[in-house]
Amino acid sequence: MRIACPFCGERENGEFTYLGDAKPQRPAMVALDAGVGASGEQEAFYDYVYLRDNVAGEMSEYWYHGGGCRSWLVVQRNTMTHEISSVKAAAGTGAAAVKASARS
Amino acid sequence: MAEFVWHAVSPLQHSFTPGRMGETADAAGVRMAEIRNFNLVQIFARRGQWSAVAKAAKAHFGVEAPTRPQAVSGKAGVLLWSGPDQLSALTARRGDEIRPLDALRDRFAGIASLSDQSDGRCLLRISGARARDMLAKVSSVDLDAAVFPVGAAAATAIDHTAANLWREADAADGSPVFKLLVFSSFADSLWDTLVDAAAEYGIEVESPAGL
Amino acid sequence: MTVYQPNRLDKGGLIDRSTPLDFTFDGKHLTGFAGDTLASALVANGVTLVGRSFKYHRPRGILTAGSEEPNALVELRSGNRREANTKATTTELYYGLEAQSQNRWPSLAFDVMSVNQLFSPIFVAGFYYKTFMWPAKFWEKLYEPAIRRAAGLGRPSGLADPDHYEKAWAHCDVLVVGSGASGLAAALAAGRTGARTILAEEDSRAGGRLLSDQGEIDGVSARDWVEGALAELASLPNVRLMTRTAVFGVYDGGTYGALERVNDHVPVPPRHQVRQRLWRIVAKRCVVAAGAVERPIVFSGNDRPGVMMASAVRTYIDRFAARPGRNLAVFANNDDAWKTVEAAHRAGIGIAAVVDVRKELTQAQRTLAQAAGFPVLNGVIHDVHGGAKGVSGIEVQLASGKRETIAADCLAMSGGWNPAVGLSSHHRGRPKWREDIAAFVPGDDIPAGMVVAGAANGAFSLDACLREGHEAGAAAAAGSGGRKAAGNAAVAANPDDALSIAPVWHVEGKHKAFVDFQHDVTASDVALAQREGFESVEHLKRYTTLGMATDQGKNSNVTGLAIMAEVSGRSIPQTGTTIYRPPQVPVAIGALAGHNRDEKFHAARQAPSNHWAAERGAPFVDTGLWKRAQWYPLPGENDWLTSVNREVVTVRNGVGFCDVSTLGKIDVMGPDAGTFLDRVYINLFSTLAVGKARYGLMLRDDGIVMDDGTTSRLAEDHYFMTTTTAKAGPVMQYLEYCRQVLWPELDVQLTSCTDQWATFSVAGPKSRDLLRNIVDPAEDLSNEGFPFMGVREVPLRGGMYARLFRISFSGEMAFEISVPARYGDALARNLMIAGEPFGVIPYGTEALGVMRIEKGHVAGPELNGTTTADDLGLGKMASKKKDFVGRVMATREALVAPDRQVVVGIKPVDKARRLRSGAHIIPKGAIVGPDTDQGYVTSVCHSPMLGQWVGLGLVERGRERFGEIVRAHDPLRGEDYDVEICNPVFYDPEGGRQRG
């Protein structure tokens, strides 16, 4: 398999490490002024840490170009055919090119 | 107490002696040399600061900062693209300078994070008529002259180890010249791998040189 | 000693008669010529019997002339280069070649195990499944060894392969697989456009069937046309011809696996050269022009030595000038086999008869029969007469109902041609059936970027092959961005020599009729499988082992499923094919491993002081990829424990140093670096003062401990993190994930600087005294001036600077000192000088481990991916003031259960006893079993300070049980002894020593 890194160009998959489904969102960090978190946060984390769809078809996945530019990438891949339809950098990759005013 | 002497030791200090290796029937197809006495500083632009960093790099090194996989050579040295938001500045070391960041801190204050990598990497020059054939055994990158022109660079992996590879101006005889930057701790092991790959073409190991 | 070759034709062939090559077969001296294969040389020498079959030990001869050969497998070479199951048909002859026949005892001609044939009724399909199901231990002790002696193929050498292998990458616009008429036409068309083209040919010589078949292309002979095509390709700098290179697999994204047999054609590879090279070819487009494989017909006696594929007979005659027989019979169901008749007649070989299942003959065929004076019989072969050494005659069942016996010494058979659909089906593609040629051709679902041309696509006429090849090459070049014109297609003289075929698969006869020659699967086995319910092709394959031998059924699969279709009353398309997978040809494990074997199995990392350590005789141990000094033996120390005990005692009473450069080091920089670390560590780092270090612990999001280490703050926006040696890479990858994926809003930059610094731990009560000798005297190293967990840059004497950290892993007063890595060797030497007045010694990883166990410090065996912070006794470190990774899941019920296994100390009740890690903890008086297993010993060492073995363990409710005696049960080593659960800090539990 070959993955077109948006920074480096097309590279063989040995340069990349697979993480998994890019869909689950990690629950946000919270303030712990009272010393404890909110109720229901364990369920949210249970979903995030353990529950995954077993997708047959198009799936967005995280891949790490560790044998290259060390970018985390979001790869749109068909799990049936291994066809890759898009590769994008993760949100914080290449952040220096983002305008300073965009900082939240 | 005796005075202390600080001898610098390259990671390849004991790995080779200059001269011929491998096949010796014909002229060496591959020439390999270790480049010593360089400073290497990783310049990592902070959030939203890329254009300020590019400007500062231009002012300091006198060449345009590459925004894609390229190695831009100038009088002061080489600016190498080493990842998104990242440059590696490769310059000649003056004497036994040990704090290369000092000269850059003010210039990049607040716009980039700097990390000294001068000792973290080992630099090799690989050239010769069969250099491409030899590199094809260790690199998955297409190094064809048209696809990988002079100035092209790649952050890639060799024997599952991160490396930076770039092409410099051809040698006088028209054969290609590549530079390879590898992690210091892996250098001895990768040297053996490169020698194995080049052995059938005949190797001329040159004396260590400066940048 | 040149030996006369009785079956060598006087003229013709692509062999070099001026270069005779002596070789041996089963010890017998024979001679061939340069250009021969082992098989063609055997044919020329009149050797017909070359091996015994797998199951029935039936005598077998050469069946084919290519890589589909099922019978002529030999052991090639001898000693540590002996290679089993080598195809004689693809082995190039070289001077001094040694080959042995396989699977026979005591000799090929008289084989004791051929008695298996008498018992053949019990060796039918499913025999193993039916016979040896019960009792299980009989299988292991009795049946399997007996069967392995009786069956099987060649013997491995049992020795390490002395040759070298390597892997390489190639890149191109167009890859052409196969260099027959279609492949050459494709390569010419692609090459002329300027596209980077690779033409891969598994044979030593390009040309494919054009080397064996007659024909006329563009007004010259086929062979001359091949020479012209090769000359043109050689003139194009963008074209690369790779002979001896078999493309064996199609992988995702246009990556193709190929095996180049660089030096299989010489006895020993020249110095500095590999035997084989594994290529990964990245191609934008691929033209598969891999040709077709002729298939046998299944009839009684079809496996006798002397029965050969018709195309192979032609190859031996025309390419190799070797005569497979003097009186040839032919059995065919198609026109192609008649080319063999022509070739034999031209070579002066007698034609005994042609048996054709078809009634109608062409005018040309009738003319040939008349001119050569042989009978053409409409019918089928009923039986083949002869013995182990060859054919003596054929018994023909005529369409008229009569039987006729005809004398012949060789039988050429042709059941038609199977296009080579393997590569085009490697992405789970299903070939489709074409009735007109009675064969499967590539389906519509072939891999992206691939086009199939010529015989591989079911185009069997020379003209069609040239045309399809040209069109495919031009289209592939255009698709890959080629610009110039592809020129004109070559044209064959006989545009209309299409294959006329009447499919006949199987002829009923009186004896065994073989489908799969290598695995001895017969037509009746296929029928039996059907009767027993194994109708699906995948079941048929596994039940009968059809197509599962080293040839992967290249000439048997289609015939097998056609017979299955016949007996099950279905059509061939309904019956279907099995899945095709790489490798298309066998690939040696050595080639797949390439450079990475033995000490080069993986790249190794050297610590900065390793050369110095080697000078002092230190042995090295693999720690992940690193080589680390294990201990430093002194003269007279002959066992490791003596050296390690001395190192520990010297450090605890004086001073020693250890290279700890292997710890992962990461610069964490930027305005949000503190916030970032607060999130990844369970404890606070944003409040850490500049110039201070703190021990940090990281969890995974599931609440389990990931890693630990000491992180210092060097500047307001610069932290310097250390990780364990083992986790340096994974932690860096994880932190990048946090930075790039989880929290893009943070302005933080990460750079690995593990290799930048040479770091030594200087430990022991005299460590400060040592440092005072090497650090600039102006620096205050007193407890007040440089307190525990202090960090700062200090100048060293002689013009150096260092980062100095006052941190301790050994429990002694200790410092870590770092200099740029190129001065690591000098630092080791200078520490020896500075510490000389205090009796300094270097110490290795063993003493390091002893001291951490004596202090109860956790390491890899305790940070094992199952333990929580609290299990390790570090639960109190977790900050309640801020959120961090793992906080939520660490509070799950099971992770805070009171009966969790937690870190404790373990010491033997019998102080003289040695502890072993891995022993299980069982309560006294309990019966050993999973229910009573309460944990295990994780780390052990001999503590010279306590004068006994001590260890750490993970034990249920361990912290409540200090003083309890339990059993350490070690079934692996057959040990069972009493140990006491105790405080894990064995040495200096108050921690006074490290604070100095």
Side-chain angles (χ1 to χ4, degrees):
Chain A
M1 196 155 76
R2 296 177 68 79
I3 297 174
C5 171
F7 304 103
C8 299
E10 191 183 281
R11 294 292 177 83
E12 61 113 1
N13 67 339
E15 291 192 358
F16 300 84
T17 312
Y18 180 70
L19 182 77
D21 195 349
K23 207 168 62 181
Q25 295 287 308
R26 189 185 187 282
M29 285 281 164
V30 295
L32 284 187
D33 301 332
V36 287
S39 66
E41 58 179 10
Q42 238 185 51
E43 286 70 23
F45 265 97
Y46 180 77
D47 278 5
Y48 169 68
V49 172
Y50 292 112
L51 297 188
R52 293 290 182 276
D53 293 333
N54 187 9
V55 179
E58 284 282 312
M59 181 172 175
S60 63
E61 304 167 330
Y62 283 125
W63 288 78
Y64 178 56
H65 194 191
C69 65
R70 292 193 296 127
S71 294
W72 275 95
L73 306 172
V74 183
V75 175
Q76 199 75 23
R77 184 179 68 103
N78 187 317
T79 60
M80 303 290 285
T81 62
H82 295 180
E83 203 177 318
I84 292 171
S85 49
S86 86
V87 185
K88 293 195 177 93
T93 311
V98 177
K99 281 206 174 68
S101 59
R103 198 176 157 192
S104 51
Chain B
M1 204 74 224
E3 242 344 283
F4 294 99
V5 182
W6 298 94
H7 286 301
V9 172
S10 145
L12 293 180
Q13 195 89 17
H14 306 285
S15 306
F16 64 84
T17 45
R20 286 296 298 261
M21 292 188 80
E23 183 58 55
T24 50
D26 297 307
V30 175
R31 307 176 78 81
M32 298 193 353
E34 185 197 356
I35 308 295
R36 291 183 186 165
N37 302 322
F38 61 87
N39 284 329
L40 181 73
V41 173
Q42 168 86 344
I43 303 169
F44 204 143
R46 290 188 176 174
R47 227 181 127 74
Q49 298 291 349
W50 176 257
S51 41
V53 167
K55 206 181 290 176
K58 172 91 196 276
H60 194 92
F61 300 101
V63 291
E64 292 293 337
T67 54
R68 57 196 174 89
Q70 280 183 321
V72 188
S73 303
K75 269 197 189 124
V78 178
L79 276 185
L80 177 69
W81 182 92
S82 52
D85 305 343
Q86 294 158 65
L87 293 173
S88 289
L90 184 68
T91 53
R93 175 187 295 149
R94 284 181 294 274
D96 50 6
E97 182 185 5
I98 46 178
R99 303 166 69 100
L101 295 188
D102 291 352
L104 298 172
R105 270 210 187 87
D106 288 347
R107 178 83 73 178
F108 291 95
I111 57 170
S113 294
L114 306 179
S115 187
D116 184 7
Q117 298 288 341
S118 309
D119 292 63
R121 300 289 192 281
C122 183
L123 181 60
L124 300 172
R125 181 181 187 272
I126 298 168
S127 59
R130 308 302 299 271
R132 278 197 188 91
D133 294 313
M134 172 264 210
L135 286 168
K137 300 181 190 179
V138 296
S139 171
S140 60
V141 176
D142 187 355
L143 299 176
D144 180 75
V147 180
F148 200 79
V150 171
T156 181
I158 287 182
D159 212 1
H160 305 280
T161 305
N164 295 88
L165 180 67
W166 69 94
R167 184 170 163 210
E168 298 198 333
D170 289 349
D173 66 357
S175 65
V177 177
F178 296 94
K179 287 272 176 68
L180 179 64
L181 197 58
V182 301
F183 279 94
S184 303
S185 62
F186 282 109
D188 177 69
S189 171
L190 291 177
W191 175 268
D192 282 347
T193 300
L194 296 173
V195 165
D196 284 354
E200 67 172 307
Y201 311 121
I203 310 163
E204 178 72 38
V205 179
E206 297 169 334
S207 299
L211 193 63
Chain C
M1 187 193 68
T2 300
V3 176
Y4 171 68
Q5 302 169 46
N7 279 345
R8 183 70 73 182
L9 296 168
D10 293 339
K11 55 181 195 297
L14 295 167
I15 49 168
D16 177 6
R17 291 168 200 262
S18 66
T19 310
L21 301 173
D22 294 346
F23 69 104
T24 64
F25 179 66
D26 281 346
K28 194 175 172 198
H29 289 271
L30 301 168
T31 302
F33 291 122
D36 262 328
T37 61
L38 172 58
S40 69
L42 290 172
V43 169
N45 282 275
V47 176
T48 47
L49 173 63
V50 295
R52 290 271 172 176
S53 75
F54 181 68
K55 200 156 74 176
Y56 302 125
H57 287 241
R58 286 171 68 97
R60 290 283 164 81
I62 297 162
L63 183 70
T64 75
S67 61
E68 70 273 23
E69 175 63 30
N71 282 350
L73 305 183
V74 299
E75 288 173 358
L76 196 64
R77 302 186 169 86
S78 58
N80 56 2
R81 287 194 168 84
R82 189 172 76 202
E83 197 178 342
N85 306 334
T86 306
K87 295 177 197 112
T89 49
T90 59
T91 299
E92 292 173 56
L93 193 68
Y94 55 83
Y95 185 83
L97 178 147
E98 300 166 80
Q100 306 277 334
S101 60
Q102 300 186 156
N103 204 24
R104 47 55 175 181
W105 186 85
S107 74
L108 186 55
F110 176 76
D111 174 46
V112 167
M113 293 311 292
S114 59
V115 73
N116 274 5
Q117 288 185 71
L118 303 179
F119 297 112
S120 61
I122 68 163
F123 279 104
V124 296
F127 160 71
Y128 299 133
Y129 302 116
K130 287 169 184 161
T131 314
F132 302 125
M133 279 169 54
W134 182 91
K137 70 179 174 196
F138 273 36
W139 172 256
E140 204 176 289
K141 296 250 162 66
L142 192 64
Y143 298 144
E144 190 180 342
I147 289 167
R148 282 201 183 283
R149 254 198 314 278
L153 297 165
R155 305 160 300 158
S157 77
L159 302 166
D161 187 338
D163 293 326
H164 298 284
Y165 299 79
E166 68 187 9
K167 293 189 269 192
W169 289 87
H171 305 261
C172 62
D173 295 320
V174 180
L175 168 66
V176 180
V177 181
S179 70
S182 324
L184 285 173
L188 284 170
R192 285 169 187 156
T193 69
R196 288 167 74 194
T197 303
I198 291 176
L199 175 57
E201 168 55 55
E202 72 175 331
D203 203 322
S204 60
R205 191 168 186 141
R209 285 298 309 169
L210 297 182
L211 301 178
S212 304
D213 289 352
Q214 303 287 316
E216 195 183 305
I217 304 171
D218 285 352
V220 297
S221 78
R223 277 186 199 169
D224 287 346
W225 182 80
V226 169
E227 290 308 312
L230 291 174
E232 182 178 349
L233 292 173
S235 74
L236 297 170
N238 53 313
V239 176
R240 177 177 188 176
L241 171 64
M242 297 173 76
T243 52
R244 300 189 174 109
T245 303
V247 175
F248 63 77
V250 184
Y251 301 91
D252 293 307
T255 307
Y256 298 80
L259 183 72
E260 181 183 4
R261 304 202 300 161
V262 184
N263 281 305
D264 273 351
H265 60 294
V266 294
V268 175
R271 204 161 127 75
H272 307 303
Q273 287 195 28
V274 293
R275 175 171 293 283
Q276 298 178 348
R277 187 179 291 132
L278 187 98
W279 287 95
R280 280 149 303 173
I281 302 172
V282 181
K284 293 195 181 96
R285 293 286 188 277
C286 176
V287 177
V288 171
V293 173
E294 194 177 24
R295 62 195 181 212
I297 300 176
V298 180
F299 54 88
S300 178
N302 67 342
D303 69 325
R304 265 196 206 294
V307 181
M308 199 182 268
M309 301 313 305
S311 59
V313 169
R314 198 150 88 228
T315 296
Y316 289 119
I317 293 171
D318 270 345
R319 177 170 173 185
F320 297 109
R323 173 172 50 200
R326 287 159 191 274
N327 191 22
L328 179 74
V330 176
F331 178 31
N333 68 357
N334 65 81
D335 282 345
D336 189 71
W338 281 84
K339 291 185 191 160
T340 301
V341 181
E342 286 169 36
H345 179 59
R346 223 174 20 245
I349 296 169
I351 314 291
V354 173
V355 181
D356 199 319
V357 303
R358 303 166 305 168
K359 204 168 176 184
E360 301 295 320
L361 293 188
T362 65
Q363 183 56 47
Q365 287 160 356
R366 274 198 298 271
T367 309
L368 177 63
Q370 214 153 29
F374 60 81
V376 179
L377 309 173
N378 178 217
V380 295
I381 303 267
H382 181 68
D383 200 6
V384 180
H385 298 165
K389 297 205 170 158
V391 171
S392 61
I394 54 171
E395 194 177 334
V396 183
Q397 174 72 56
L398 296 168
S400 62
K402 281 191 220 151
R403 290 233 181 106
E404 192 173 329
T405 298
I406 294 171
D409 63 358
C410 178
L411 174 61
M413 63 174 160
S414 178
W417 289 79
N418 291 329
V421 295
L423 292 176
S424 56
S425 304
H426 275 180
H427 287 185
R428 233 189 144 80
R430 294 289 188 168
K432 62 185 181 200
W433 181 252
R434 244 178 74 186
E435 204 66 52
D436 60 329
I437 56 169
F440 282 101
V441 295
D444 303 323
D445 47 4
I446 66 173
M450 181 184 283
V451 49
V452 186
N457 196 35
F460 292 141
S461 80
L462 180 56
D463 197 57
C465 286
L466 292 166
R467 192 175 57 247
E468 280 198 9
H470 178 82
E471 284 164 6
S480 70
R483 287 194 182 84
K484 288 183 276 178
N488 297 322
V491 180
N494 274 334
D496 190 28
D497 59 350
L499 181 81
S500 151
I501 181 168
V504 166
W505 305 98
H506 172 215
V507 179
E508 292 292 342
K510 41 180 152 174
H511 300 303
K512 281 192 192 315
F514 285 86
V515 181
D516 181 333
F517 290 67
Q518 195 173 139
H519 260 175
D520 274 353
V521 179
T522 62
S524 54
D525 287 330
V526 177
L528 180 69
Q530 190 271 333
R531 283 201 303 281
E532 297 193 344
F534 297 95
E535 267 191 12
S536 121
V537 280
E538 298 290 356
H539 288 158
L540 168 69
K541 171 175 170 177
R542 275 127 194 119
Y543 196 60
T544 62
T545 73
L546 170 74
M548 289 172 73
T550 64
D551 63 343
Q552 290 286 289
K554 285 189 183 60
N555 52 21
S556 62
N557 279 344
V558 173
T559 309
L561 72 90
I563 294 172
M564 175 56 87
E566 229 167 72
V567 296
S568 61
R570 291 174 299 174
S571 71
I572 287 172
Q574 276 169 343
T575 308
T577 62
T578 53
I579 300 274
Y580 293 82
R581 294 184 184 87
Q584 176 74 9
V585 292
V587 180
I589 296 290
L592 293 170
H595 174 80
N596 295 111
R597 60 176 277 189
D598 301 326
E599 75 280 4
K600 288 168 183 170
F601 181 61
H602 59 69
R605 306 180 79 170
Q606 299 289 349
S609 69
N610 276 10
H611 187 75
W612 173 80
E615 281 175 11
R616 302 181 73 91
F620 290 86
V621 62
D622 283 347
T623 314
L625 301 180
W626 289 94
K627 303 281 181 196
R628 297 188 74 181
Q630 213 168 356
W631 62 84
Y632 294 80
L634 288 182
E637 289 179 349
N638 295 321
D639 72 304
W640 67 274
L641 194 55
T642 307
S643 302
V644 173
N645 283 342
R646 172 186 51 78
E647 289 177 10
V648 172
V649 171
T650 310
V651 171
R652 296 250 186 248
N653 294 318
V655 61
F657 65 89
C658 177
D659 191 334
V660 294
S661 311
T662 61
L663 293 176
K665 309 179 198 76
I666 301 169
D667 275 333
V668 181
M669 301 170 290
D672 295 329
T675 310
F676 184 81
L677 292 176
D678 279 350
R679 292 183 180 188
V680 297
Y681 279 128
I682 68 171
N683 45 337
L684 268 172
F685 276 83
S686 54
T687 56
L688 185 68
V690 172
K692 284 288 189 184
R694 184 170 284 169
Y695 174 74
L697 192 70
M698 283 179 201
L699 304 186
R700 311 188 307 215
D701 246 327
D702 64 358
I704 298 293
V705 171
M706 176 172 357
D707 198 46
D708 68 347
T710 304
T711 289
S712 318
R713 193 166 198 175
L714 302 179
E716 203 53 43
D717 57 358
H718 184 184
Y719 289 81
F720 176 72
M721 174 189 281
T722 65
T723 72
T724 59
T725 299
K727 288 286 177 65
V731 167
M732 184 68 191
Q733 175 176 336
Y734 162 71
L735 294 179
E736 284 290 2
Y737 178 76
C738 293
R739 182 181 81 85
Q740 298 180 40
V741 176
L742 293 185
W743 311 312
E745 70 278 11
L746 297 184
D747 191 359
V748 58
Q749 291 78 40
L750 305 169
T751 299
S752 164
C753 46
T754 303
D755 288 17
Q756 167 67 19
W757 299 97
T759 305
F760 293 82
S761 173
V762 183
K766 302 280 189 193
S767 56
R768 183 187 286 135
D769 297 330
L770 181 154
L771 288 169
R772 278 183 171 140
N773 273 349
I774 191 170
V775 174
D776 188 307
E779 291 289 324
D780 180 2
L781 298 184
S782 71
N783 221 16
E784 296 70 41
F786 211 124
F788 187 55
M789 298 308 251
V791 175
R792 73 169 185 264
E793 242 175 47
V794 294
L796 301 184
R797 292 170 54 185
M800 182 53 50
Y801 89 102
R803 284 181 183 172
L804 195 59
F805 308 76
R806 193 167 157 205
I807 48 185
S808 176
F809 193 52
S810 57
E812 297 301 328
M813 178 164 69
F815 295 81
E816 279 183 11
I817 182 168
S818 293
V819 295
R822 66 183 185 272
Y823 297 109
D825 181 274
L827 180 58
R829 293 172 203 274
N830 287 338
L831 288 173
M832 288 302 287
I833 296 169
E836 201 267 320
F838 316 107
V840 70
I841 54 141
Y843 65 96
T845 54
E846 288 297 325
L848 186 78
V850 170
M851 288 190 275
R852 75 102 185 161
I853 293 171
E854 286 182 335
K855 280 296 290 177
H857 286 165
V858 292
E862 291 79 37
L863 275 65
N864 63 5
T866 69
T867 46
T868 66
D870 198 51
D871 295 345
L872 304 176
L874 302 170
K876 290 200 184 75
M877 282 173 61
S879 169
K880 298 222 169 18
K881 296 186 187 134
K882 51 111 189 184
D883 199 358
F884 56 85
V885 170
R887 174 186 63 83
V888 173
M889 295 301 261
T891 62
R892 279 181 294 163
E893 202 178 335
L895 296 198
V896 295
D899 62 348
R900 283 189 66 82
Q901 298 180 354
V902 300
V903 170
V904 294
I906 303 280
K907 54 187 179 190
V909 170
D910 172 3
K911 287 195 175 192
R913 170 122 220 154
R914 180 175 183 170
L915 288 182
R916 302 266 191 186
S917 54
H920 285 253
I921 301 298
I922 309 286
K924 290 287 282 180
I927 296 164
V928 174
D931 298 345
T932 55
D933 190 345
Q934 296 187 328
Y936 64 103
V937 181
T938 51
S939 305
V940 299
C941 71
H942 179 267
S943 163
M945 306 314 289
L946 279 74
Q948 67 170 106
W949 284 79
V950 297
L952 302 178
L954 287 163
V955 179
E956 264 176 36
R957 298 178 190 271
R959 282 195 284 270
E960 304 161 17
R961 297 167 66 180
F962 291 174
E964 185 182 330
I965 309 294
V966 292
R967 283 166 69 190
H969 179 71
D970 190 349
L972 192 64
R973 302 176 185 94
E975 293 180 344
D976 196 321
Y977 46 91
D978 286 353
V979 294
E980 182 187 331
I981 299 173
C982 61
N983 186 325
V985 189
F986 293 96
Y987 183 73
D988 186 30
E990 293 76 33
R993 297 179 70 90
Q994 63 188 7
R995 292 176 181 274

